[in-house]
């Protein structure tokens, strides 16, 4: 079951990268001193990336736990 652990670790890492990218997009948008409507639009776009990264990380961690428990 080592392959399940490796796949889970890769999925978790990709999800973490997505979470970090989302955070950097929001920080960049806040630094640009945009109007309220434009800032909300950019944060909403980053929120989709945030939720996708979170879901991918959770699935990856579940794969790791499953691989460890089956080993």
């Amino acid at each position: 079951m080592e392959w399940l652990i490796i796949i889970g670790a890769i999925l978790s890492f990709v999800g973490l990268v997505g979470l970090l990218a989302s955070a950097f997009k929001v920080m960049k948008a806040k630094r640009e001193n945009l109007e309220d409507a434009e800032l909300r639009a950019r944060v909403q776009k980053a929120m989709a990336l945030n939720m996708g990264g979170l879901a991918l990380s959770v699935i990856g961690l579940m794969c790791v736990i499953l691989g460890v428990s089956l080993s």
Side-chain angles (χ1 to χ4, degrees):
M1 285 295 162
E2 292 179 14
W3 58 273
L4 191 59
I5 296 171
I6 293 170
I7 290 172
I10 292 170
L11 285 175
S12 294
F13 180 73
V14 171
L16 180 64
V17 169
L19 288 170
L20 291 173
S22 170
F24 286 129
K25 281 187 175 190
V26 171
M27 286 191 308
K28 182 181 175 188
K30 285 189 176 184
R31 281 191 205 130
E32 291 179 2
N33 293 330
L34 301 171
E35 292 183 19
D36 191 39
E38 180 66 26
L39 182 62
R40 282 180 192 260
R42 287 203 186 176
V43 169
Q44 284 178 350
K45 287 180 184 177
M47 196 63 154
L49 181 61
N50 189 1
M51 292 305 225
L54 183 63
L56 203 57
S57 291
V58 167
I59 291 169
L61 289 175
M62 287 191 303
C63 288
V64 168
I65 290 171
L66 187 63
V68 168
S69 64
L70 292 177
S71 294

